Amino acid sequence: MTDPLLTPFTLGKVHLRNRLMSTAHAPGYIEDRMPKQRYRLYHQAKAKGGLALTMFGGSCTVSPDSPAAFAQIDLSHDRVIPWIKELAHSVHDEGAAIMCQITHLGRRTAFDVEHWLPPVAPSAIPERPHGSNPAVLRAADLTRIAADYAQAAYRCAEAGLDGIELMAYAHLLDQFWTPAFNQRADAYSADEQNRLAFTLQVMDAIRAAVGQDFLLGIRMTGDDFLAQSQGLQGLDEAACLQIAQQLEASEQLDFFNFVGGHLTTDMGLADCIPPMGNPSAPFLSLAARMKQALKLPVMHATRVTDVASARYAIESGAVDLIGMTRGHMADPNIIAKLSLGQEHRIRPCVGAGYCLDRLHAKGEALCIHNVATGREASISHQLKTAKESRDVVVVGAGVAGLEAARVAAERGHKVTVLEATAQVGGQVNLAAMVPRRREMASIIGWLKQECDALGVSFVYNCLAESEDVLQYSPEMVVIATGGLPRPLSLQQGEHLVTGLWDILSGYAKPAAKVLLYDNNGGHQAMSAGGFMLTNGTQELELVSPYRTVGRDIGDVNFPHYLRDLYAADARLTPDWELVAVASEAGQLCATLWNEYSATSQTRLVDQVVVENSTDANDQLFYALVPQSRNNGDIDFIGIQQDQPRLLDVNPQGQFYLYRIGDAWAGRNIHAALYDAIRLLKDY
């Protein structure tokens, strides 16, 4: 029986080899707002992996007054054509179709970037996340922008793309549709007769520029839930269906791409692009209902992270094409592995949201546990076998150690992993104790499965010392012993605090009234706060010395933590430093200090729980340094290009020695995996 995902489909006049696609998104890999080598290799890898259609350019902008707010491609100049043409050829050569999403952001951008032009909108209503005050669009502006859409579409056609998708999801087109954001009283008002006037004007201009054979679709919401979430006059499912039917009746479109929700608040964004801890495929049934009432093909993608959900979407007839966009960031070879009967070896998307959180904070999307994604120029998704097999010992079976073992074994080396405990996983096992982060365990599960398939040998309950390592006569030793909780320095009472690791491991139980002090700023404390509130804590105050609680948590995850904490009446207190803890009448008196006001406060609680990051567990590394060929050193010049050389600086050395992950310094999962692969991929 043929896998439903592997059945072909014809979209307009474009033949698609299967039903899996990657929907438009902005990974941040542009250079000078152009899709150059890094961008091209990223999409080419997915095409090589077998998917049917890749859409690029999440929110490519068409006009000067729609500047990039999150690293979008600029389609407003002809200089983009050669870069898109090269991208199109590379994807077509691998057998996949390729399309581009084009848009005008309207009010969903900032004024103080690029040309310093004010954002524009149907009415002068700012969008909360970006906060810029938009200028009200005049009729001449609308004529100009419609022409800009047409020119952008023409450039895409000239470059050899198969089609384009209009973005009508919190952007300019649907800002005209939504009564909450369109208060005009002219021919472009938000009433049922006028709300599509500008959209139809744009579509007419595009068809005049590119003809009828070039694919044209639209990405829109099937229900913005504004009335439910904010009490605003938005577009419910009935209104969205009516709009879709009107658009279909225009006979200008070839497909719909339905999503759900709105992007006009931080919580709205986080619900529309839900991370782990949320249901799989939350809007699939919404897209399916839309499809039942329409004739055109329907696409969909929202947190479809596993093949089973994607297969159900196609097999049930819910949609015609299903997107596993974040899934393809985790593993661009999904279709290739399905075709080979290796579904079990697909690297899973765990929904960590690291890709989007990093895009919004740092300008580039990276997968939390596939570090080759976005680095295809220097790190291959398929490693080559080494010319000679060598003996490699890895100490520690957390994410860093498992990835080092996997990479070395895939290269053909004989790998032995020495693990101090009775199981693999390290700190990820603690993170996965929180129900919202349970999917993190899949990172460990996949790495261990791959190591087993590659013949890696594991030795458990081995608190390794030098002689334990040397008995294997290794040629390479990788220290991945992780970190240990860093003690918090206090004026008094250090012995009275409880470490967060003790709470998550079950060594200590959460008390009824807790002060949780976060001196780290990552996911650890905020996620653990929710865990404690469902495991005995009745009153929680989360205190941070930083100006925001959870300062390093990004836009996709932060709102969900806040929702959980506020639902339990937790108190969030930024800007206060824990300086002392003392016993007082069977409770603990915590003293907090505020640097800005130079004042102190106290809290009387049952328990003070502290998250203070980690210190490197590196004693074994230093013990082995004198016997290593490289003195434990790294080629810092080469590592910047992901090509570190092996350093031979100790003639008496017996093996090369590296420390990776938190054994080097406390960072995050992606850093640990990156350490491992770039040091071992060419060994």
Side-chain angles (χ1 to χ4, degrees), residues 53-126:
L53 167 65
T54 187
M55 283 194 187
F56 73 93
S59 307
C60 289
T61 58
V62 302
S63 301
D65 53 1
S66 178
F70 36 89
Q72 297 107 307
I73 295 168
D74 183 4
L75 289 178
S76 68
H77 296 279
D78 287 345
R79 66 190 181 94
V80 77
I81 295 175
W83 298 110
I84 297 181
K85 185 176 293 186
E86 187 176 7
L87 173 57
H89 285 325
S90 69
V91 169
H92 284 151
D93 287 347
E94 300 293 347
I98 182 169
M99 296 175 61
C100 178
Q101 183 187 87
I102 72 174
T103 196
H104 191 295
L105 293 164
R107 66 186 194 136
R108 188 172 169 74
T109 187
F111 73 89
D112 55 350
V113 293
E114 293 191 330
H115 313 295
W116 283 67
L117 294 169
V120 294
S123 301
I125 302 173

Side-chain angles (χ1 to χ4, degrees), residues 7-87:
T7 58
F9 185 77
T10 299
L11 186 64
K13 294 186 177 181
V14 177
H15 177 74
L16 302 175
R17 56 187 173 182
N18 56 65
R19 302 298 186 97
L20 268 187
M21 62 179 294
S22 173
T23 51
H25 57 290
Y29 302 154
I30 58 172
E31 300 171 54
D32 189 28
R33 293 199 67 191
M34 296 290 112
K36 299 183 181 180
Q37 184 196 46
R38 187 184 185 192
Y39 205 103
R40 173 175 54 79
L41 293 176
Y42 166 66
H43 282 278
Q44 187 177 13
K46 290 185 284 187
K48 188 179 296 184
L51 90 173
L53 167 65
T54 187
M55 283 194 187
F56 73 93
S59 307
C60 289
T61 58
V62 302
S63 301
D65 53 1
S66 178
F70 36 89
Q72 297 107 307
I73 295 168
D74 183 4
L75 289 178
S76 68
H77 296 279
D78 287 345
R79 66 190 181 94
V80 77
I81 295 175
W83 298 110
I84 297 181
K85 185 176 293 186
E86 187 176 7
L87 173 57

Side-chain angles (χ1 to χ4, degrees), residues 23-255:
T23 51
H25 57 290
Y29 302 154
I30 58 172
E31 300 171 54
D32 189 28
R33 293 199 67 191
M34 296 290 112
K36 299 183 181 180
Q37 184 196 46
R38 187 184 185 192
Y39 205 103
R40 173 175 54 79
L41 293 176
Y42 166 66
H43 282 278
Q44 187 177 13
K46 290 185 284 187
K48 188 179 296 184
L51 90 173
L53 167 65
T54 187
M55 283 194 187
F56 73 93
S59 307
C60 289
T61 58
V62 302
S63 301
D65 53 1
S66 178
F70 36 89
Q72 297 107 307
I73 295 168
D74 183 4
L75 289 178
S76 68
H77 296 279
D78 287 345
R79 66 190 181 94
V80 77
I81 295 175
W83 298 110
I84 297 181
K85 185 176 293 186
E86 187 176 7
L87 173 57
H89 285 325
S90 69
V91 169
H92 284 151
D93 287 347
E94 300 293 347
I98 182 169
M99 296 175 61
C100 178
Q101 183 187 87
I102 72 174
T103 196
H104 191 295
L105 293 164
R107 66 186 194 136
R108 188 172 169 74
T109 187
F111 73 89
D112 55 350
V113 293
E114 293 191 330
H115 313 295
W116 283 67
L117 294 169
V120 294
S123 301
I125 302 173
E127 182 212 46
R128 190 178 298 170
H130 291 91
S132 293
N133 292 308
V136 176
L137 285 158
R138 301 167 57 242
D141 293 320
L142 297 176
T143 300
R144 167 181 58 82
I145 292 171
D148 290 343
Y149 267 102
Q151 283 297 310
Y154 179 79
R155 293 180 183 105
C156 291
E158 278 290 289
L161 298 185
D162 297 294
I164 58 170
E165 175 184 79
L166 298 175
M167 176 61 159
Y169 183 34
H171 290 201
L172 183 58
L173 293 183
D174 63 294
Q175 287 166 23
F176 278 95
W177 306 351
T178 310
F181 312 128
N182 181 359
Q183 299 176 355
R184 300 171 77 102
D186 60 5
Y188 295 98
S189 67
D191 61 43
E192 292 182 12
Q193 291 73 35
N194 295 331
R195 61 190 176 192
L196 288 178
F198 181 58
T199 303
L200 295 172
Q201 182 178 341
V202 167
M203 288 164 53
D204 287 343
I206 289 173
R207 281 302 184 200
V210 302
Q212 294 297 317
D213 291 342
F214 192 62
L215 289 175
L216 174 62
I218 193 165
R219 184 177 177 98
M220 60 176 285
T221 186
D223 189 332
D224 63 21
F225 304 118
L226 278 169
Q228 297 177 30
S229 63
Q230 293 183 267
L232 296 175
Q233 188 179 358
L235 298 170
D236 61 13
E237 185 174 335
C240 289
L241 177 57
Q242 185 181 43
I243 288 172
Q245 290 171 330
Q246 289 176 274
L247 292 172
E248 185 175 70
S250 74
E251 298 185 349
Q252 302 284 38
L253 290 179
D254 295 297
F255 65 87

Side-chain angles (χ1 to χ4, degrees), residues 272-338:
C272 284
I273 317 174
M276 64 174 62
N278 291 279
S280 177
F283 304 124
L284 178 60
S285 60
L286 175 61
R289 291 193 297 273
M290 291 289 166
K291 177 175 167 53
Q292 290 172 2
L294 297 165
K295 298 176 183 178
L296 289 175
V298 168
M299 307 173 182
H300 173 67
T302 299
R303 190 161 156 70
V304 182
T305 55
D306 63 286
V307 168
S309 295
R311 184 178 291 118
Y312 169 78
I314 299 301
E315 189 173 28
S316 67
V319 294
D320 298 294
L321 296 170
I322 191 71
M324 292 184 66
T325 307
R326 283 181 279 181
H328 276 92
M329 294 191 76
D331 193 336
N333 297 304
I334 292 174
I335 286 289
K337 290 178 180 179
L338 281 178

Side-chain angles (χ1 to χ4, degrees), residues 266-267 270-271 274-278 350-354 357 368 430-440 500 504 516 518 521-534 540 542 549-572 669:
D266 291 339
M267 193 71 250
D271 280 336
M276 64 174 62
N278 291 279
V350 299
Y354 186 73
D357 285 347
I368 192 171
L430 293 175
M433 293 299 296
V434 178
R436 181 168 287 285
R437 304 190 78 197
R438 190 164 290 149
E439 290 171 74
M440 297 290 282
L500 189 63
L504 293 176
L516 173 56
D518 181 15
H523 288 257
Q524 295 90 334
M526 288 198 81
S527 65
F531 172 83
M532 295 168 69
L533 286 163
T534 57
L540 177 76
L542 179 53
V549 174
R551 64 170 183 173
D552 294 334
I553 305 174
D555 294 347
V556 170
N557 282 285
F558 192 88
H560 290 283
Y561 290 139
L562 285 181
R563 176 185 278 166
D564 292 346
L565 291 168
Y566 283 134
D569 293 324
R571 180 179 176 186
L572 307 182
I669 290 172

Side-chain angles (χ1 to χ4, degrees), residues 329-617:
M329 294 191 76
D331 193 336
N333 297 304
I334 292 174
I335 286 289
K337 290 178 180 179
L338 281 178
S339 300
L340 293 171
Q342 297 179 348
E343 182 175 338
H344 62 287
R345 297 195 70 175
I346 294 172
R347 188 195 306 248
C349 172
V350 299
Y354 186 73
C355 48
L356 286 149
D357 285 347
R358 183 171 175 84
L359 172 67
H360 296 162
K362 306 288 186 180
E364 64 171 357
L366 297 173
C367 175
I368 192 171
H369 75 126
N370 186 351
V371 299
T373 296
R375 297 188 178 99
E376 285 82 3
S378 58
I379 302 177
S380 173
H381 289 282
Q382 289 86 36
L383 299 174
K384 295 180 180 179
T385 302
K387 294 180 180 179
E388 181 182 352
S389 177
R390 301 181 184 277
D391 290 319
V392 177
V393 170
V394 178
V395 185
V399 289
L402 289 173
E403 176 70 343
R406 181 193 73 85
V407 172
E410 191 167 324
R411 293 275 290 156
H413 301 308
K414 180 182 177 182
V415 183
T416 301
V417 178
L418 308 181
E419 165 56 35
T421 71
Q423 63 178 342
V424 302
Q427 292 180 52
V428 173
N429 293 332
L430 293 175
M433 293 299 296
V434 178
R436 181 168 287 285
R437 304 190 78 197
R438 190 164 290 149
E439 290 171 74
M440 297 290 282
S442 295
I443 298 175
I444 297 301
W446 184 82
L447 286 169
K448 179 59 164 61
Q449 172 187 279
E450 289 296 296
C451 285
D452 289 343
L454 293 164
V456 174
S457 176
F458 286 84
V459 179
Y460 296 103
N461 298 308
C462 177
L463 188 59
E465 297 185 1
S466 296
E467 55 269 25
D468 298 303
V469 174
L470 296 177
Q471 68 172 313
Y472 293 96
S473 302
E475 295 164 89
M476 168 80 77
V477 177
V478 180
I479 303 300
T481 44
L484 297 171
R486 177 181 297 146
L488 181 68
S489 179
L490 298 175
Q491 294 173 7
Q492 70 174 94
E494 293 179 17
H495 64 289
L496 297 174
V497 305
T498 302
L500 189 63
W501 286 26
D502 290 336
I503 294 291
L504 293 176
S505 67
Y507 182 79
K509 293 186 179 299
K513 186 176 182 180
V514 177
L515 186 148
L516 173 56
Y517 183 64
D518 181 15
N519 198 38
N520 185 1
H523 288 257
Q524 295 90 334
M526 288 198 81
S527 65
F531 172 83
M532 295 168 69
L533 286 163
T534 57
N535 285 275
T537 298
Q538 300 169 15
E539 187 177 339
L540 177 76
E541 181 177 7
L542 179 53
V543 178
S544 170
Y546 308 117
R547 64 179 183 176
T548 58
V549 174
R551 64 170 183 173
D552 294 334
I553 305 174
D555 294 347
V556 170
N557 282 285
F558 192 88
H560 290 283
Y561 290 139
L562 285 181
R563 176 185 278 166
D564 292 346
L565 291 168
Y566 283 134
D569 293 324
R571 180 179 176 186
L572 307 182
T573 306
D575 300 325
W576 290 83
E577 180 181 357
L578 178 66
V579 294
V581 178
S583 296
E584 185 173 310
Q587 290 186 294
L588 297 177
C589 181
T591 302
L592 307 176
W593 168 260
N594 187 296
E595 181 182 13
Y596 303 107
S597 64
T599 59
S600 62
Q601 295 180 354
T602 59
R603 303 284 194 271
L604 196 62
V605 296
D606 301 318
Q607 189 178 48
V608 176
V609 178
V610 169
E611 163 55 31
N612 194 36
S613 192
T614 63
D615 284 328
N617 182 18

